[in-house]
Amino acid sequence: MKYRISAVDKDATLKTVVDEISEKDYKTIMSNIRRLQVSMLSKDYYVIVRDNIKELLAFLPTIEMMNKYSIDTINRYTYNVLGTFYAWIEYYESH
């Protein structure tokens, strides 16, 4: 089977970048793309977990013990951290 690499220009015209690549090169490119996708998703999960931890830590010093909603807010931030951390771990275990 023959493969080629094409791209779309800014003016929406199809442009062939490489006219023909071998089956071996095609498989190598596709394998590397999958590996890159896994790495990028992993980084995205990390950023989400990190930002949720930052939000929780930023809120903790501002707690007003007399405010009845403080515990609810702590729980919400904690659930955000734990939920995203769990999703990140599940992603790592499956990929």
Side-chain angles (χ1 to χ4, degrees), residues 55-89:
E55 286 178 355
L56 174 63
L57 293 177
F59 176 73
L60 291 176
T62 68
I63 294 172
E64 296 175 18
M65 293 310 288
M66 300 307 291
N67 185 343
K68 65 181 180 179
Y69 299 110
S70 290
I71 295 298
D72 295 339
T73 306
I74 291 170
N75 284 341
R76 181 171 55 84
Y77 284 130
T78 304
Y79 277 122
N80 286 346
V81 170
L82 294 176
T84 54
F85 183 72
Y86 178 77
W88 189 30
I89 295 300

Side-chain angles (χ1 to χ4, degrees), residues 14-27:
L14 187 63
K15 178 181 177 183
T16 300
V17 178
V18 177
D19 198 27
E20 189 176 318
I21 59 174
S22 68
E23 180 81 24
K24 181 181 175 188
D25 288 342
Y26 171 79
K27 287 181 180 181

